[in-house]
Amino acid sequence: MSTDAATPTLTRAQRLDRLPFTREHGRLVVGSGVGWALDAMDVGLISFVMAALAVQWSLTPTELSWIGSIGFVGMALGATLGGLLADRVGRRQVFALTLLVFGVATGAAALSWSVASLLVFRLLIGLGLGAELPVASTLVSEYAPSRLRGRVVVALEAFWAVGWLLAALIGYLVVPRGDAGWRWALALGAVPALYAVVVRRGLPESVRFLELRGRDGEAEAAVRRFEAAAGVAPQPAAALPQAPAAPRGGLWAPGTRGRTAALWTVWFGINFAYYGAFIWLPTLLVAAGFDLVKSFGYTLLITLAQLPGYAAAAVLVERWGRRPTLVVFLAGSAVGAALFALAAGDTAVLVTGMVLSFSNLGAWGAVYAVTPEVYPTALRGTGAGAAAGFGRIASIAAPLCVPPLLVAGGSGLVFGVFAAAFVVAAAGSWALPERRGEALDAP
């Protein structure tokens, strides 16, 4: 494909938007997605470690709830800080740094000698994890062609299911194999520290970020790399329009605050219900009378339902749009949680758990697709990080709420509360903008 005098001159963002999905897009999604999967593996592993330590260390429900929640304290801080740094020093740099932090901290957690030491390491792990997720989704969304952006970001988010599945496999195969099984499981979580080197060397920096920082030569080289992969001849970049500046008042400026409030509501509700349910799931199954191995096996099967949930969301975000897809999957999550609360017997536990898993992870795919589209480039990393950080407050609170809810009304009350949280998130979703097929910085 060549250009001539009659061909309109395009900005770099427009040149990226016109491209098909290429091997460079694939490398970006897989490169970011591997880091995402390693994140999920670490978060998922703690649910199996909790179940093992409850027996080995004779931990109380309160101690277990703090082990489940402390990582999310770090994630709340990390998400907010990571978003701010991503808008100042770059998406790729922050992504690589966060992988290094949580990889090293996870390996160190395998050496924990007490509850207190494990809590410290989990806090450090959370700092890295919290910063990585919104930064990776922002980077991928800024390269994806607008007509495919939702599907590409959901594909990135699908790596979360891969990582959680790895955690379930490690939990099932490694954790029960002796008193040191949980230590070996956490030692495997040190892999991200090595992968950080690959990320730093192999992934491109965001073109939009580079242009905002006046690094036009690097921005042009990145665009040409993707054009070459598509077989498209490069052309001189058009004069850049004035990039939308961050509004005075930032995320809470007039015209922006409604979107921020809606987005934070969605993130809070989905975090509360998801982490409250899945962090405690193996332990709750053990408490219900399942032995450790059977509990881990059921959790593995329930986790498998996440993959088709992502696949469905990847199709529907481009057919229905982000907002209706998000609402439908959140409503399905509420139904799944309510049915799980009423489940009696092995088959009912499995089926309703898989409904919850399918719907919940489809909702996660949709929320990650819509989040980078809510704000302009100058605020995108900050906005995504702040929403994720606010959501982490819910993921801190949810595991802590489970023990008193169990005392008050058993697992039925626990999952009834989670169903209500999904309903609140679905209500908030209606106030989000619908940006299917639009350029990221379109008015």
Side-chain angles (χ1 to χ4, degrees), residues 12-64:
R12 294 188 184 97
Q14 290 169 336
R15 287 160 62 189
L16 287 173
D17 271 345
R18 68 175 173 161
L19 298 178
F21 190 87
T22 70
R23 68 177 183 275
E24 287 296 332
H25 291 101
R27 288 179 60 188
L28 176 60
V29 171
V30 173
S32 302
V34 169
W36 200 294
L38 293 170
D39 277 11
M41 184 181 76
D42 182 274
V43 174
L45 278 175
I46 197 60
S47 65
F48 298 95
V49 170
M50 283 169 57
L53 290 181
V55 177
Q56 287 186 33
W57 288 4
S58 300
L59 300 182
T60 67
T62 299
E63 289 172 321
L64 287 172

Side-chain angles (χ1 to χ4, degrees), residues 294-357:
K294 191 171 186 179
S295 165
F296 288 1
Y298 276 26
T299 303
L300 174 58
L301 292 173
I302 290 171
T303 301
L304 284 170
Q306 295 182 8
L307 292 171
Y310 281 124
V315 173
L316 294 176
V317 290
E318 300 297 357
R319 290 190 179 177
W320 292 355
R322 282 69 156 138
R323 187 169 54 205
T325 301
L326 182 55
V327 170
V328 167
F329 276 101
L330 285 170
S333 299
V335 171
L339 291 175
F340 192 84
L342 301 173
D346 292 15
T347 301
V349 167
L350 271 178
V351 171
T352 58
M354 292 176 81
V355 170
L356 173 60
S357 185

